[in-house]
Amino acid sequence: MSLPEEDLTCPVCCDIFADPVLLSCSHSFCRGCLKHCWDTGIRECPVCRKKASKCNPPSNLALKNVCEAVLQVRRLSSVEGEDKVNCILHGEKLKLFCLIDKQPICVVCQSSKLHKTHDCSPIEEALLDCKDELALSLKSLQEKLDNLKRINMTSNTTLTCIKSQALETQKMIKNHFEQLHQILYHEELARLAAVKKEEEEKIAGMKEKIKELSAEVTCLTETIAIIQEQLKEDDMVLLKNFKDTQDRCKSIMLGSENMSRLLIDVTKHLYNLKYRVWEKLLDHVDYTPITLDPNTAHPCLILSDDLTSLHYSKQPSICPDNPERFHMSAEVVAMTALGSGSHHWVVETGSNHDWLLGVASMSVPRNMEISARPENGFWTLCFRDGDLRAMTSPPSLLTVSRTPKQVKVQLDYNKGTVSFFDATDNTLLYAFTHSFTEPLFPYFYTQSSHPLRILPERVLVTMLRQ
């Protein structure tokens, strides 16, 4: 057990004992200090004044060994302290910091070939700069860690949603196939297997994603802990380790932040399902030219089971915050991007008095609210407050004899036109002209509880006989 330093101090010189001797009164003194006191002619203990029985008191060997051990530790600590502040190559004090090699150097190092052409700064300035830079790195890494933790939390919600989507999709597939009875039994099994396979693939992918996120969180946490420890270290230790620490920060590559395309592709399994089996039951086929994509729908939009109608609900549904989804307003797009040719679809607006219909560019932002106008990548017709407007800049009020209950949207991509008709008598309502540069999605918006419905088209089958 180590003794307190005051127990190893001579009462005369107030320093660590040097060759301590022990008097009969049990007090110890340096041999030289005691001799100096006794040279005055009085042979007594300098502390308690008791007369000494011997003129040459014995050495206190145990105390001497302890004191020598303490002095040895002091000498080693002094040498280590000099090593921290002195150059290991030249023995000179480290007064400069090489801005190229990110290392503290002495004035001799600066004159050497290794650093002669390098920019340097005083060690005090460099210390402040390095601390500031590490603080910025720490802040950036902490933000990345917080973001990864947030993504990791939402990933579990996404995983649950994938399972829910898979179950709901399977339920809808069963409903469709029940209408087709035994003739479509084998087709039904095939569709269910496809959903199950995708579910397993998506769940496996999601679990791997969560595993990668956890690994990245661990890596970032360890790096942050190292930086925090470095900031607590001696200044010179911090500077010597600065380059390695910074290299470690820069070497961290985060690849798990992309959360796109993780959900079940519901429309792949459900769109125009009856049409795809028309050869088996033509009388039961309903074909719609476009199908809504539920993975893009705002949480307040309720889509029908067959993904051909939508209406607004004040009670938002619980759904993942995936990048494809519209987050700010009640919007949704169809599944298929249109990049060439001519396309049309008819939307039944019915009693809905708050809607926008048209097309939107693939690149329109989905995490902010912007006007549905051509300069923002939208070509739409709007009905609100009893007025029909073409969403030009500014919007153009349209004069019509009656409010259309069915609106036909016709896109000729190659000619660069988007036209709107009253589907009842095919009267032109408005036509946009634009040179399109990217694919377009059929676009829908509503804040009405009355549905907008994409009407099915008649299917004509021509048999070629040889």
Side-chain angles (χ1 to χ4, degrees), residues 134-165:
L134 281 178
L136 289 174
S137 297
L138 180 62
K139 181 180 178 182
S140 175
L141 290 173
Q142 188 64 54
E143 289 174 352
K144 291 179 180 179
L145 176 61
D146 293 341
N147 188 45
L148 279 176
K149 287 182 177 179
R150 180 186 62 80
I151 294 174
N152 199 19
M153 289 179 61
T154 58
S155 296
N156 293 316
T157 303
T158 303
L159 186 62
T160 302
C161 183
I162 290 173
K163 295 179 179 180
S164 175
Q165 281 187 311

Side-chain angles (χ1 to χ4, degrees), residues 275-286:
Y275 175 74
R276 287 183 289 160
V277 294
W278 64 271
E279 290 181 312
K280 298 175 182 177
L281 275 179
L282 291 179
D283 293 337
H284 296 272
V285 169
D286 284 332

Side-chain angles (χ1 to χ4, degrees), residues 167-222:
L167 291 174
E168 188 64 27
T169 303
Q170 290 173 321
K171 177 182 176 181
M172 287 307 308
I173 291 176
K174 287 181 179 180
N175 289 339
H176 282 297
F177 277 93
E178 284 173 3
Q179 297 173 21
L180 302 176
H181 301 295
Q182 294 302 317
I183 300 176
L184 304 178
Y185 177 72
H186 296 292
E187 183 73 7
E188 179 183 8
L189 292 179
R191 302 288 176 188
L192 290 173
V195 175
K196 187 64 177 176
K197 179 180 178 182
E198 183 172 0
E199 179 193 11
E200 292 172 353
E201 292 173 351
K202 290 294 175 66
I203 289 176
M206 198 66 246
K207 288 182 178 179
E208 185 63 27
K209 176 71 69 175
I210 293 174
K211 182 179 179 182
E212 292 174 5
L213 286 167
S214 299
E216 291 178 0
V217 167
T218 300
C219 180
L220 278 174
T221 302
E222 292 175 352

